[in-house]
mmCIF file of all heavy atoms in Angstrom:
data_model
loop_
_atom_site.group_PDB
_atom_site.id
_atom_site.type_symbol
_atom_site.label_atom_id
_atom_site.label_comp_id
_atom_site.label_asym_id
_atom_site.label_seq_id
_atom_site.Cartn_x
_atom_site.Cartn_y
_atom_site.Cartn_z
ATOM 1 N N PRO A 20 62.907 121.594 62.400
ATOM 2 C CA PRO A 20 61.998 122.644 62.851
ATOM 3 C C PRO A 20 60.771 122.744 61.939
ATOM 4 O O PRO A 20 60.836 122.388 60.766
ATOM 5 C CB PRO A 20 62.853 123.914 62.755
ATOM 6 C CG PRO A 20 63.875 123.603 61.719
ATOM 7 C CD PRO A 20 64.139 122.132 61.831
ATOM 8 N N PRO A 21 59.659 123.208 62.488
ATOM 9 C CA PRO A 21 58.450 123.314 61.668
ATOM 10 C C PRO A 21 58.622 124.286 60.493
ATOM 11 O O PRO A 21 57.913 124.186 59.506
ATOM 12 C CB PRO A 21 57.380 123.823 62.635
ATOM 13 C CG PRO A 21 58.024 123.991 63.951
ATOM 14 C CD PRO A 21 59.449 123.584 63.859
ATOM 15 N N CYS A 22 59.582 125.189 60.575
ATOM 16 C CA CYS A 22 59.809 126.160 59.504
ATOM 17 C C CYS A 22 60.917 125.708 58.558
ATOM 18 O O CYS A 22 61.533 126.525 57.868
ATOM 19 C CB CYS A 22 60.146 127.526 60.091
ATOM 20 S SG CYS A 22 61.616 127.518 61.156
ATOM 21 N N TRP A 23 61.178 124.401 58.469
ATOM 22 C CA TRP A 23 62.272 123.858 57.664
ATOM 23 C C TRP A 23 62.263 124.377 56.239
ATOM 24 O O TRP A 23 63.311 124.608 55.650
ATOM 25 C CB TRP A 23 62.244 122.326 57.677
ATOM 26 C CG TRP A 23 60.999 121.737 57.092
ATOM 27 C CD1 TRP A 23 59.872 121.369 57.774
ATOM 28 C CD2 TRP A 23 60.733 121.461 55.721
ATOM 29 N NE1 TRP A 23 58.919 120.887 56.911
ATOM 30 C CE2 TRP A 23 59.430 120.938 55.642
ATOM 31 C CE3 TRP A 23 61.461 121.608 54.538
ATOM 32 C CZ2 TRP A 23 58.843 120.560 54.439
ATOM 33 C CZ3 TRP A 23 60.877 121.234 53.346
ATOM 34 C CH2 TRP A 23 59.584 120.708 53.307
ATOM 35 N N TYR A 24 61.067 124.550 55.667
ATOM 36 C CA TYR A 24 60.934 124.957 54.271
ATOM 37 C C TYR A 24 61.407 126.385 54.014
ATOM 38 O O TYR A 24 61.600 126.778 52.871
ATOM 39 C CB TYR A 24 59.479 124.799 53.804
ATOM 40 C CG TYR A 24 58.502 125.507 54.722
ATOM 41 C CD1 TYR A 24 58.188 126.842 54.544
ATOM 42 C CD2 TYR A 24 57.921 124.817 55.783
ATOM 43 C CE1 TYR A 24 57.312 127.489 55.397
ATOM 44 C CE2 TYR A 24 57.042 125.445 56.637
ATOM 45 C CZ TYR A 24 56.748 126.786 56.442
ATOM 46 O OH TYR A 24 55.886 127.430 57.295
ATOM 47 N N ARG A 25 61.625 127.151 55.069
ATOM 48 C CA ARG A 25 62.110 128.530 54.935
ATOM 49 C C ARG A 25 63.639 128.615 54.959
ATOM 50 O O ARG A 25 64.187 129.696 54.873
ATOM 51 C CB ARG A 25 61.549 129.393 56.056
ATOM 52 C CG ARG A 25 60.050 129.585 55.976
ATOM 53 C CD ARG A 25 59.600 130.462 57.134
ATOM 54 N NE ARG A 25 58.197 130.737 57.079
ATOM 55 C CZ ARG A 25 57.657 131.823 56.516
ATOM 56 N NH1 ARG A 25 58.429 132.718 55.964
ATOM 57 N NH2 ARG A 25 56.364 131.997 56.529
ATOM 58 N N HIS A 26 64.300 127.482 55.091
ATOM 59 C CA HIS A 26 65.755 127.447 55.209
ATOM 60 C C HIS A 26 66.340 126.621 54.062
ATOM 61 O O HIS A 26 66.336 125.383 54.127
ATOM 62 C CB HIS A 26 66.157 126.860 56.570
ATOM 63 C CG HIS A 26 65.633 127.667 57.713
ATOM 64 N ND1 HIS A 26 66.286 128.765 58.199
ATOM 65 C CD2 HIS A 26 64.485 127.543 58.438
ATOM 66 C CE1 HIS A 26 65.594 129.280 59.201
ATOM 67 N NE2 HIS A 26 64.488 128.562 59.358
ATOM 68 N N PRO A 27 66.844 127.271 53.017
ATOM 69 C CA PRO A 27 67.348 126.541 51.840
ATOM 70 C C PRO A 27 68.345 125.420 52.145
ATOM 71 O O PRO A 27 68.230 124.348 51.544
ATOM 72 C CB PRO A 27 67.965 127.640 50.965
ATOM 73 C CG PRO A 27 67.168 128.868 51.322
ATOM 74 C CD PRO A 27 66.884 128.725 52.799
ATOM 75 N N PRO A 28 69.300 125.582 53.072
ATOM 76 C CA PRO A 28 70.200 124.442 53.324
ATOM 77 C C PRO A 28 69.460 123.223 53.876
ATOM 78 O O PRO A 28 69.769 122.083 53.513
ATOM 79 C CB PRO A 28 71.205 124.978 54.353
ATOM 80 C CG PRO A 28 71.150 126.460 54.217
ATOM 81 C CD PRO A 28 69.736 126.769 53.804
ATOM 82 N N VAL A 29 68.469 123.445 54.734
ATOM 83 C CA VAL A 29 67.689 122.329 55.288
ATOM 84 C C VAL A 29 66.858 121.694 54.180
ATOM 85 O O VAL A 29 66.756 120.465 54.092
ATOM 86 C CB VAL A 29 66.818 122.794 56.474
ATOM 87 C CG1 VAL A 29 65.919 121.673 56.969
ATOM 88 C CG2 VAL A 29 67.699 123.314 57.602
ATOM 89 N N VAL A 30 66.284 122.520 53.311
ATOM 90 C CA VAL A 30 65.504 121.992 52.184
ATOM 91 C C VAL A 30 66.389 121.106 51.312
ATOM 92 O O VAL A 30 65.980 120.020 50.900
ATOM 93 C CB VAL A 30 64.869 123.136 51.353
ATOM 94 C CG1 VAL A 30 64.262 122.613 50.053
ATOM 95 C CG2 VAL A 30 63.814 123.865 52.173
ATOM 96 N N GLU A 31 67.612 121.543 51.038
ATOM 97 C CA GLU A 31 68.523 120.747 50.207
ATOM 98 C C GLU A 31 68.856 119.414 50.873
ATOM 99 O O GLU A 31 68.884 118.376 50.213
ATOM 100 C CB GLU A 31 69.802 121.522 49.907
ATOM 101 C CG GLU A 31 69.599 122.698 48.965
ATOM 102 C CD GLU A 31 69.158 122.304 47.551
ATOM 103 O OE1 GLU A 31 69.419 121.151 47.120
ATOM 104 O OE2 GLU A 31 68.555 123.143 46.881
ATOM 105 N N HIS A 32 69.117 119.434 52.177
ATOM 106 C CA HIS A 32 69.422 118.180 52.878
ATOM 107 C C HIS A 32 68.215 117.242 52.874
ATOM 108 O O HIS A 32 68.352 116.037 52.638
ATOM 109 C CB HIS A 32 69.872 118.464 54.315
ATOM 110 C CG HIS A 32 71.277 118.956 54.397
ATOM 111 N ND1 HIS A 32 71.595 120.294 54.386
ATOM 112 C CD2 HIS A 32 72.445 118.294 54.486
ATOM 113 C CE1 HIS A 32 72.911 120.425 54.465
ATOM 114 N NE2 HIS A 32 73.449 119.227 54.533
ATOM 115 N N LEU A 33 67.044 117.782 53.142
ATOM 116 C CA LEU A 33 65.843 116.955 53.136
ATOM 117 C C LEU A 33 65.549 116.429 51.732
ATOM 118 O O LEU A 33 65.089 115.289 51.565
ATOM 119 C CB LEU A 33 64.645 117.740 53.686
ATOM 120 C CG LEU A 33 64.696 117.977 55.194
ATOM 121 C CD1 LEU A 33 63.656 119.008 55.610
ATOM 122 C CD2 LEU A 33 64.506 116.670 55.958
ATOM 123 N N THR A 34 65.828 117.236 50.726
ATOM 124 C CA THR A 34 65.643 116.798 49.343
ATOM 125 C C THR A 34 66.547 115.613 49.043
ATOM 126 O O THR A 34 66.118 114.623 48.443
ATOM 127 C CB THR A 34 65.941 117.959 48.370
ATOM 128 O OG1 THR A 34 65.049 119.036 48.644
ATOM 129 C CG2 THR A 34 65.778 117.534 46.925
ATOM 130 N N ALA A 35 67.805 115.694 49.457
ATOM 131 C CA ALA A 35 68.733 114.586 49.236
ATOM 132 C C ALA A 35 68.257 113.330 49.965
ATOM 133 O O ALA A 35 68.305 112.221 49.410
ATOM 134 C CB ALA A 35 70.135 114.982 49.700
ATOM 135 N N LEU A 36 67.793 113.498 51.192
ATOM 136 C CA LEU A 36 67.283 112.348 51.945
ATOM 137 C C LEU A 36 66.061 111.742 51.260
ATOM 138 O O LEU A 36 65.928 110.521 51.178
ATOM 139 C CB LEU A 36 66.934 112.764 53.379
ATOM 140 C CG LEU A 36 68.120 112.957 54.305
ATOM 141 C CD1 LEU A 36 67.677 113.648 55.593
ATOM 142 C CD2 LEU A 36 68.787 111.624 54.611
ATOM 143 N N TYR A 37 65.169 112.593 50.768
ATOM 144 C CA TYR A 37 63.955 112.117 50.108
ATOM 145 C C TYR A 37 64.292 111.372 48.817
ATOM 146 O O TYR A 37 63.786 110.272 48.575
ATOM 147 C CB TYR A 37 63.020 113.286 49.827
ATOM 148 C CG TYR A 37 61.732 112.909 49.133
ATOM 149 C CD1 TYR A 37 60.928 111.880 49.625
ATOM 150 C CD2 TYR A 37 61.309 113.570 47.988
ATOM 151 C CE1 TYR A 37 59.745 111.545 49.002
ATOM 152 C CE2 TYR A 37 60.131 113.245 47.365
ATOM 153 C CZ TYR A 37 59.347 112.225 47.862
ATOM 154 O OH TYR A 37 58.173 111.880 47.242
ATOM 155 N N ALA A 38 65.176 111.944 48.005
ATOM 156 C CA ALA A 38 65.555 111.282 46.751
ATOM 157 C C ALA A 38 66.202 109.923 47.051
ATOM 158 O O ALA A 38 65.916 108.932 46.372
ATOM 159 C CB ALA A 38 66.490 112.175 45.946
ATOM 160 N N GLY A 39 67.055 109.871 48.066
ATOM 161 C CA GLY A 39 67.667 108.608 48.455
ATOM 162 C C GLY A 39 66.648 107.619 48.989
ATOM 163 O O GLY A 39 66.724 106.414 48.737
ATOM 164 N N TRP A 40 65.678 108.127 49.743
ATOM 165 C CA TRP A 40 64.628 107.269 50.296
ATOM 166 C C TRP A 40 63.810 106.648 49.168
ATOM 167 O O TRP A 40 63.510 105.455 49.189
ATOM 168 C CB TRP A 40 63.736 108.088 51.229
ATOM 169 C CG TRP A 40 62.672 107.289 51.895
ATOM 170 C CD1 TRP A 40 62.788 106.563 53.050
ATOM 171 C CD2 TRP A 40 61.316 107.133 51.464
ATOM 172 N NE1 TRP A 40 61.587 105.963 53.355
ATOM 173 C CE2 TRP A 40 60.674 106.303 52.394
ATOM 174 C CE3 TRP A 40 60.600 107.615 50.387
ATOM 175 C CZ2 TRP A 40 59.340 105.942 52.264
ATOM 176 C CZ3 TRP A 40 59.269 107.256 50.261
ATOM 177 C CH2 TRP A 40 58.659 106.426 51.196
ATOM 178 N N ILE A 41 63.483 107.451 48.155
ATOM 179 C CA ILE A 41 62.702 106.928 47.026
ATOM 180 C C ILE A 41 63.494 105.839 46.302
ATOM 181 O O ILE A 41 62.957 104.782 45.989
ATOM 182 C CB ILE A 41 62.312 108.065 46.059
ATOM 183 C CG1 ILE A 41 61.241 108.912 46.709
ATOM 184 C CG2 ILE A 41 61.842 107.521 44.722
ATOM 185 C CD1 ILE A 41 60.663 109.992 45.869
ATOM 186 N N ARG A 42 64.772 106.092 46.031
ATOM 187 C CA ARG A 42 65.584 105.078 45.355
ATOM 188 C C ARG A 42 65.687 103.811 46.201
ATOM 189 O O ARG A 42 65.691 102.710 45.682
ATOM 190 C CB ARG A 42 66.982 105.620 45.055
ATOM 191 C CG ARG A 42 67.028 106.512 43.825
ATOM 192 C CD ARG A 42 68.447 106.820 43.408
ATOM 193 N NE ARG A 42 69.205 107.538 44.404
ATOM 194 C CZ ARG A 42 69.199 108.862 44.555
ATOM 195 N NH1 ARG A 42 68.453 109.606 43.769
ATOM 196 N NH2 ARG A 42 69.924 109.439 45.482
ATOM 197 N N THR A 43 65.768 103.977 47.516
ATOM 198 C CA THR A 43 65.928 102.828 48.406
ATOM 199 C C THR A 43 64.640 102.044 48.573
ATOM 200 O O THR A 43 64.627 100.820 48.474
ATOM 201 C CB THR A 43 66.422 103.295 49.790
ATOM 202 O OG1 THR A 43 67.675 103.959 49.615
ATOM 203 C CG2 THR A 43 66.587 102.130 50.744
ATOM 204 N N TYR A 44 63.545 102.729 48.824
ATOM 205 C CA TYR A 44 62.305 102.042 49.164
ATOM 206 C C TYR A 44 61.350 101.852 47.993
ATOM 207 O O TYR A 44 60.494 100.975 48.041
ATOM 208 C CB TYR A 44 61.586 102.789 50.291
ATOM 209 C CG TYR A 44 62.288 102.635 51.612
ATOM 210 C CD1 TYR A 44 63.221 103.569 52.041
ATOM 211 C CD2 TYR A 44 62.031 101.543 52.425
ATOM 212 C CE1 TYR A 44 63.877 103.426 53.256
ATOM 213 C CE2 TYR A 44 62.677 101.384 53.641
ATOM 214 C CZ TYR A 44 63.600 102.330 54.048
ATOM 215 O OH TYR A 44 64.249 102.177 55.247
ATOM 216 N N ALA A 45 61.459 102.661 46.950
ATOM 217 C CA ALA A 45 60.542 102.528 45.827
ATOM 218 C C ALA A 45 61.258 102.111 44.555
ATOM 219 O O ALA A 45 60.616 101.842 43.558
ATOM 220 C CB ALA A 45 59.802 103.852 45.594
ATOM 221 N N GLY A 46 62.578 102.049 44.582
ATOM 222 C CA GLY A 46 63.344 101.666 43.400
ATOM 223 C C GLY A 46 63.479 100.163 43.300
ATOM 224 O O GLY A 46 62.985 99.405 44.125
ATOM 225 N N GLU A 47 64.170 99.753 42.248
ATOM 226 C CA GLU A 47 64.410 98.331 42.038
ATOM 227 C C GLU A 47 65.461 97.834 43.018
ATOM 228 O O GLU A 47 66.343 98.574 43.422
ATOM 229 C CB GLU A 47 64.908 98.096 40.611
ATOM 230 C CG GLU A 47 63.868 98.405 39.556
ATOM 231 C CD GLU A 47 64.402 98.155 38.155
ATOM 232 O OE1 GLU A 47 65.392 97.405 38.012
ATOM 233 O OE2 GLU A 47 63.817 98.705 37.226
ATOM 234 N N GLN A 48 65.359 96.571 43.368
ATOM 235 C CA GLN A 48 66.377 95.950 44.214
ATOM 236 C C GLN A 48 67.664 95.841 43.414
ATOM 237 O O GLN A 48 67.652 95.385 42.273
ATOM 238 C CB GLN A 48 65.926 94.565 44.674
ATOM 239 C CG GLN A 48 64.731 94.595 45.608
ATOM 240 C CD GLN A 48 65.076 95.259 46.939
ATOM 241 O OE1 GLN A 48 66.181 95.122 47.435
ATOM 242 N NE2 GLN A 48 64.137 95.984 47.497
ATOM 243 N N VAL A 49 68.747 96.265 43.996
ATOM 244 C CA VAL A 49 70.044 96.228 43.328
ATOM 245 C C VAL A 49 70.898 95.168 44.008
ATOM 246 O O VAL A 49 71.072 95.210 45.226
ATOM 247 C CB VAL A 49 70.732 97.613 43.410
ATOM 248 C CG1 VAL A 49 72.097 97.572 42.766
ATOM 249 C CG2 VAL A 49 69.851 98.684 42.774
ATOM 250 N N PRO A 50 71.422 94.223 43.229
ATOM 251 C CA PRO A 50 72.284 93.207 43.839
ATOM 252 C C PRO A 50 73.470 93.878 44.544
ATOM 253 O O PRO A 50 74.028 94.848 44.056
ATOM 254 C CB PRO A 50 72.763 92.373 42.648
ATOM 255 C CG PRO A 50 71.781 92.642 41.551
ATOM 256 C CD PRO A 50 71.262 94.028 41.788
ATOM 257 N N GLY A 51 73.812 93.342 45.706
ATOM 258 C CA GLY A 51 74.907 93.908 46.472
ATOM 259 C C GLY A 51 74.478 95.039 47.386
ATOM 260 O O GLY A 51 75.290 95.601 48.099
ATOM 261 N N ARG A 52 73.202 95.378 47.355
ATOM 262 C CA ARG A 52 72.691 96.453 48.204
ATOM 263 C C ARG A 52 71.636 95.891 49.156
ATOM 264 O O ARG A 52 70.579 96.478 49.350
ATOM 265 C CB ARG A 52 72.084 97.567 47.349
ATOM 266 C CG ARG A 52 73.051 98.297 46.450
ATOM 267 C CD ARG A 52 73.770 99.426 47.120
ATOM 268 N NE ARG A 52 72.794 100.404 47.566
ATOM 269 C CZ ARG A 52 72.922 101.107 48.666
ATOM 270 N NH1 ARG A 52 73.963 100.975 49.424
ATOM 271 N NH2 ARG A 52 72.003 101.972 49.024
ATOM 272 N N GLU A 53 71.950 94.758 49.764
ATOM 273 C CA GLU A 53 71.002 94.102 50.654
ATOM 274 C C GLU A 53 70.710 94.933 51.893
ATOM 275 O O GLU A 53 69.675 94.768 52.519
ATOM 276 C CB GLU A 53 71.511 92.712 51.059
ATOM 277 C CG GLU A 53 71.457 91.688 49.944
ATOM 278 C CD GLU A 53 72.578 91.831 48.912
ATOM 279 O OE1 GLU A 53 73.604 92.489 49.213
ATOM 280 O OE2 GLU A 53 72.415 91.318 47.798
ATOM 281 N N LEU A 54 71.603 95.804 52.258
ATOM 282 C CA LEU A 54 71.406 96.650 53.444
ATOM 283 C C LEU A 54 71.069 98.086 53.072
ATOM 284 O O LEU A 54 71.332 99.016 53.832
ATOM 285 C CB LEU A 54 72.659 96.612 54.323
ATOM 286 C CG LEU A 54 72.969 95.251 54.936
ATOM 287 C CD1 LEU A 54 74.296 95.288 55.671
ATOM 288 C CD2 LEU A 54 71.858 94.828 55.874
ATOM 289 N N ALA A 55 70.474 98.282 51.903
ATOM 290 C CA ALA A 55 70.174 99.640 51.432
ATOM 291 C C ALA A 55 69.307 100.408 52.426
ATOM 292 O O ALA A 55 69.545 101.588 52.680
ATOM 293 C CB ALA A 55 69.504 99.588 50.063
ATOM 294 N N GLU A 56 68.315 99.732 52.993
ATOM 295 C CA GLU A 56 67.431 100.419 53.938
ATOM 296 C C GLU A 56 68.202 100.834 55.191
ATOM 297 O O GLU A 56 68.043 101.953 55.682
ATOM 298 C CB GLU A 56 66.244 99.522 54.313
ATOM 299 C CG GLU A 56 65.303 99.256 53.154
ATOM 300 C CD GLU A 56 65.758 98.123 52.228
ATOM 301 O OE1 GLU A 56 66.822 97.531 52.445
ATOM 302 O OE2 GLU A 56 65.030 97.842 51.271
ATOM 303 N N ALA A 57 69.026 99.938 55.700
ATOM 304 C CA ALA A 57 69.839 100.275 56.881
ATOM 305 C C ALA A 57 70.825 101.391 56.553
ATOM 306 O O ALA A 57 71.055 102.289 57.373
ATOM 307 C CB ALA A 57 70.579 99.041 57.381
ATOM 308 N N ASP A 58 71.392 101.355 55.345
ATOM 309 C CA ASP A 58 72.303 102.426 54.926
ATOM 310 C C ASP A 58 71.576 103.767 54.881
ATOM 311 O O ASP A 58 72.112 104.795 55.282
ATOM 312 C CB ASP A 58 72.915 102.126 53.556
ATOM 313 C CG ASP A 58 73.920 100.990 53.592
ATOM 314 O OD1 ASP A 58 74.411 100.657 54.704
ATOM 315 O OD2 ASP A 58 74.213 100.429 52.519
ATOM 316 N N TRP A 59 70.333 103.747 54.371
ATOM 317 C CA TRP A 59 69.577 104.991 54.300
ATOM 318 C C TRP A 59 69.303 105.531 55.714
ATOM 319 O O TRP A 59 69.439 106.728 55.960
ATOM 320 C CB TRP A 59 68.251 104.806 53.540
ATOM 321 C CG TRP A 59 67.557 106.122 53.421
ATOM 322 C CD1 TRP A 59 67.731 107.058 52.447
ATOM 323 C CD2 TRP A 59 66.624 106.691 54.351
ATOM 324 N NE1 TRP A 59 66.976 108.172 52.721
ATOM 325 C CE2 TRP A 59 66.285 107.969 53.885
ATOM 326 C CE3 TRP A 59 66.057 106.250 55.546
ATOM 327 C CZ2 TRP A 59 65.393 108.800 54.546
ATOM 328 C CZ3 TRP A 59 65.178 107.084 56.210
ATOM 329 C CH2 TRP A 59 64.850 108.344 55.714
ATOM 330 N N ILE A 60 68.949 104.650 56.637
ATOM 331 C CA ILE A 60 68.691 105.087 58.007
ATOM 332 C C ILE A 60 69.963 105.650 58.632
ATOM 333 O O ILE A 60 69.929 106.670 59.326
ATOM 334 C CB ILE A 60 68.079 103.939 58.844
ATOM 335 C CG1 ILE A 60 66.657 103.658 58.340
ATOM 336 C CG2 ILE A 60 68.078 104.281 60.332
ATOM 337 C CD1 ILE A 60 66.017 102.415 58.909
ATOM 338 N N ASN A 61 71.104 105.033 58.369
ATOM 339 C CA ASN A 61 72.375 105.587 58.854
ATOM 340 C C ASN A 61 72.635 106.968 58.266
ATOM 341 O O ASN A 61 73.110 107.871 58.954
ATOM 342 C CB ASN A 61 73.540 104.649 58.522
ATOM 343 C CG ASN A 61 73.587 103.453 59.446
ATOM 344 O OD1 ASN A 61 73.128 103.515 60.584
ATOM 345 N ND2 ASN A 61 74.124 102.362 58.946
ATOM 346 N N THR A 62 72.311 107.136 56.996
ATOM 347 C CA THR A 62 72.475 108.442 56.351
ATOM 348 C C THR A 62 71.550 109.468 57.003
ATOM 349 O O THR A 62 71.960 110.599 57.260
ATOM 350 C CB THR A 62 72.195 108.335 54.844
ATOM 351 O OG1 THR A 62 73.104 107.390 54.275
ATOM 352 C CG2 THR A 62 72.343 109.674 54.154
ATOM 353 N N LEU A 63 70.322 109.069 57.293
ATOM 354 C CA LEU A 63 69.385 109.970 57.970
ATOM 355 C C LEU A 63 69.979 110.458 59.281
ATOM 356 O O LEU A 63 69.984 111.658 59.575
ATOM 357 C CB LEU A 63 68.051 109.266 58.230
ATOM 358 C CG LEU A 63 67.083 109.989 59.167
ATOM 359 C CD1 LEU A 63 66.619 111.300 58.565
ATOM 360 C CD2 LEU A 63 65.907 109.091 59.508
#
């Protein structure tokens, strides 16, 4: 919803998704995590 920022549980979930997205897309490649991007999309 456009008012997501007014709902602490939604903010926490989006925060977790964002932190995971940064580790997946902006972090270092980790051996054994060849499907990290697909895993992140599944988590989304």
Side-chain angles (χ1 to χ4, degrees):
C22 59
W23 62 266
Y24 53 87
R25 293 180 177 266
H26 300 275
V29 175
V30 170
E31 290 295 336
H32 283 92
L33 288 168
T34 300
L36 284 168
Y37 180 51
W40 183 85
I41 288 185
R42 280 191 298 275
T43 300
Y44 288 93
E47 294 180 20
Q48 294 294 325
V49 178
R52 296 275 299 145
E53 288 77 18
L54 295 174
E56 293 83 359
D58 289 342
W59 183 87
I60 291 170
N61 284 333
T62 301
L63 168 65

